[in-house]
């Protein structure tokens, strides 16, 4: 595809449910990032992959959050036992080795 | 760790006037400083970036300046137009493969 694709665009979950958010990066982009963006705030770093290796997961807020990129392309962010404070837009971005980030449209998660 | 502060949080300007947004960063090893524009409900998109070996960069009506000694960089928009209304985020990154740290954003409103 032409850009970074994320699905679902919108997800409503009941508190305690597990959710999985998918990111399809731009083909050939080595780096992939996940960010969490609360309403009116800047993107907050969650985790970063270089190919299939997860090089930095220091931003994951708890052990309920898990990300993977098993073949170095598509990535999934999984949130277990969702809480209301998990409500946010989850942005995925990919990057070639130039440094520029290309963002997806985001997945808006609402936890009731 | 890296911390990026951005000011002001909101900026209202008359069409045709200039807008300036300032960011400071804490990690002196940061060497790449992009600016992203995010329209309501849309993905952040890169508008201009600067690397640490350059003090200023210009692209039509937008420019970015970098002061490495003081660890701050600024976005300048001249001859503002209503379509410049958006949230602008600055970011800083340490190296070609590291994570981006974003500022909290500046809501720019250009009034006709």
């Amino acid at each position: 595809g032409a850009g970074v694709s994320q699905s679902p665009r919108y997800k409503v979950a009941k508190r305690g449910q597990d959710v999985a958010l998918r990111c399809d990066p731009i083909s050939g982009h080595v780096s992939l990032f996940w960010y969490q963006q609360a309403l009116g705030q800047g993107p907050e770093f969650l985790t970063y992959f270089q190919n299939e290796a997860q090089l930095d997961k220091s931003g994951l807020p708890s052990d309920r959050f898990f990300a993977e990129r098993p073949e170095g392309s598509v990535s999934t962010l999984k949130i277990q036992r969702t809480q209301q404070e998990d409500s946010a837009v989850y942005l995925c971005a990919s990057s070639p080795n130039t440094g520029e980030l290309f963002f997806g449209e985001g997945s808006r998660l609402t936890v009731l | 760790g890296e911390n990026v502060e951005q000011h002001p949080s909101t900026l209202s300007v008359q069409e045709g006037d200039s807008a300036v947004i300032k960011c400071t960063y804490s990690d002196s090893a940061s060497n790449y400083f992009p600016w992203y524009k995010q329209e309501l409900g849309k993905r952040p998109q890169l508008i201009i970036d600067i690397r640490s070996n350059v003090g200023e960069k210009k692209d039509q009506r937008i420019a970015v300046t970098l002061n490495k000694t003081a660890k701050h960089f600024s976005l300048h928009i001249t001859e503002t137009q209503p379509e410049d209304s958006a949230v602008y985020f600055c970011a800083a990154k340490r190296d070609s493969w590291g994570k981006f740290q974003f500022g909290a954003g500046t809501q720019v409103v250009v009034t006709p």
Side-chain angles (χ1 to χ4, degrees), chain B residues 27-111:
Chain B
D27 185 352
S28 56
S30 295
N31 57 6
Y32 176 61
F33 308 92
W35 286 88
Y36 284 81
K37 177 182 180 182
Q38 187 175 29
E39 297 177 15
L40 191 62
K42 300 285 183 65
R43 71 186 80 194
Q45 293 197 299
L46 180 73
I47 54 170
I48 196 167
D49 56 12
I50 192 167
R51 295 185 183 274
S52 59
N53 56 345
V54 176
E56 183 174 359
K57 185 176 178 181
K58 219 172 179 181
D59 183 3
Q60 298 181 353
R61 295 187 298 106
I62 59 173
V64 57
T65 58
L66 171 65
N67 183 329
K68 283 222 75 178
T69 304
K71 290 192 283 187
H72 67 70
F73 55 113
S74 300
L75 177 72
H76 304 253
I77 308 173
T78 58
E79 300 170 26
T80 52
Q81 300 168 5
E83 53 264 39
D84 295 329
S85 296
V87 179
Y88 292 80
F89 295 100
C90 62
K93 189 159 80 78
R94 180 180 280 200
D95 55 42
S96 295
W97 301 102
K99 70 185 182 189
F100 291 75
Q101 200 75 22
F102 283 84
T106 297
Q107 173 78 61
V108 173
V109 177
V110 180
T111 52

Side-chain angles (χ1 to χ4, degrees), chain A residues 4 30-31 33 35 37 40-43 45 48 50 56 58 97-101 103-105, chain B residues 32 36 38 41-46 49 51 89 93 96-105:
Chain A
V4 178
V30 171
S31 300
F33 300 79
Y35 281 84
Q37 187 175 27
Q41 299 295 316
F45 173 80
Y48 153 59
Q50 186 177 318
D56 188 339
S58 62
N97 59 2
T98 60
E100 179 179 351
L101 277 183
F103 282 93
E105 296 277 7
Chain B
Y32 176 61
Y36 284 81
Q38 187 175 29
K42 300 285 183 65
R43 71 186 80 194
Q45 293 197 299
L46 180 73
D49 56 12
R51 295 185 183 274
F89 295 100
K93 189 159 80 78
S96 295
W97 301 102
K99 70 185 182 189
F100 291 75
Q101 200 75 22
F102 283 84

